[in-house]
Amino acid sequence: MSASDGKPSVVGVFDRSAANYEQVGVEFFAPMGRALVERAAIAEGARVLDVGCGRGHVLFPAAEAAGPSGSVVGTDLAEGMVALTASAAAHLPWVTVAVGDAGAPDFPDGSFDTVLAGLVIFFLPAPEEALAAYHRLLRPGGLLALSTFGAQDPLFGTVVKTLSAFAPAGEGERPVDRFGDPASITALLAGWADVEITEHLVETRFPGRPVFWDWLWTHGLRALMEEIPESRLEEARAAVHAELPEAPFSLRTTLRVTTARKVSG
């Protein structure tokens, strides 16, 4: 999301999450990143762009696949994410991490063999424009691979509902999820070739309730957490803990990976 759109809040949420993103002892995004890169089938020596790279759950598997003879560029608008990911990638000279807008990447036409967008497209205010930009950046025959959420674990929905009761705005009116089903995704990719959508079940195991509470602050749900008055946080924590099973327990999340090609010629 671009701060120039007047909606910098998403960027701020992820900036404040950067230090703890995927750092509380459970893997949530990492297996999703690996699934996306596996579906992209990145060749050694490939030129790859990873938009909305975050802490690198897609970037680092992509860098491994492309290898030293390739080049991998990761961009993100959250400067905290960029700084930490760039530091982690310092030993990989074929990887570059920079501040950049996933909705309007600024590179020459045909710069990349593969564009990756892991769990970012639904945050963008104009996804059609972003998809058109990715199309422009790909060489003829190049591949776009993006991921979105499918079915969430019912427990996750219960927790969100519980937390919303403590936020002054409640759940409020949510935007229509234009990536909520395969047909909608396919419609947005009109003009692309070889569109394929696969689903991957990801299980995230939590060793205990305190870790789950800490994890809630490390990703996009932080936006809801920050709406809860500080005076009610302990009450909210107790309410969430009451909804959780005995430890250890798991969340099962369906990840959708969509691949599509730029028409050759």
Side-chain angles (χ1 to χ4, degrees):
M1 178 170 291
S2 171
S4 64
D5 295 318
K7 298 180 179 180
S9 59
V10 171
V11 177
V13 165
F14 283 102
D15 219 13
R16 293 187 293 277
S17 301
N20 295 319
Y21 190 89
E22 203 79 342
Q23 304 296 310
V24 296
V26 297
E27 278 198 337
F28 183 75
F29 295 106
M32 297 183 187
R34 293 192 292 266
L36 178 62
V37 171
E38 182 178 348
R39 285 291 299 155
I42 296 167
E44 187 173 349
R47 300 167 299 159
V48 181
L49 173 64
D50 174 25
V51 297
C53 66
R55 289 294 302 270
H57 71 283
V58 172
L59 183 80
F60 290 110
E64 182 178 357
S69 62
S71 64
V72 180
V73 179
T75 65
D76 202 292
L77 272 178
E79 294 183 5
M81 293 282 194
V82 169
L84 290 165
T85 304
S87 177
H91 66 293
L92 303 173
W94 66 98
V95 175
T96 302
V97 187
V99 174
D101 189 348
D106 185 16
F107 298 94
D109 293 3
S111 295
F112 300 101
D113 302 302
T114 307
V115 173
L116 306 172
L119 300 174
V120 66
I121 194 79
F122 42 75
F123 285 120
L124 304 180
E128 294 97 340
E129 293 178 14
L131 291 169
Y134 306 157
H135 193 274
R136 175 181 60 80
L137 296 181
L138 285 167
R139 64 164 175 79
L143 185 81
L144 168 68
L146 62 86
S147 58
T148 53
F149 288 114
Q152 295 272 12
D153 194 302
L155 178 60
F156 185 79
T158 297
V159 168
V160 170
K161 185 175 181 180
T162 298
L163 290 169
S164 297
F166 292 90
E171 288 191 78
E173 183 178 347
R174 298 187 181 274
V176 175
D177 183 2
R178 303 181 65 194
F179 296 87
D181 61 78
S184 298
I185 297 170
T186 301
L188 282 165
L189 289 167
W192 294 75
D194 303 328
V195 177
E196 295 184 4
I197 301 175
T198 58
E199 293 193 346
H200 309 260
L201 183 63
V202 177
E203 182 173 359
T204 308
R205 290 185 60 80
F206 293 88
R209 293 166 178 168
V211 172
F212 184 88
W213 177 261
D214 291 343
W215 173 78
L216 292 173
W217 290 91
T218 66
H219 48 82
L221 197 61
R222 185 186 183 103
L224 175 59
M225 304 289 286
E226 290 181 346
E227 291 180 9
I228 300 172
E230 187 174 355
S231 62
R232 300 200 69 191
L233 277 174
E234 286 304 315
E235 186 184 356
R237 185 205 300 258
V240 167
H241 283 190
E243 297 290 351
L244 299 176
E246 292 294 325
F249 56 90
S250 297
L251 286 182
R252 293 172 178 83
T253 308
T254 300
L255 180 77
R256 286 200 185 99
V257 176
T258 303
T259 56
R261 290 197 178 275
K262 180 174 180 175
V263 178
S264 300

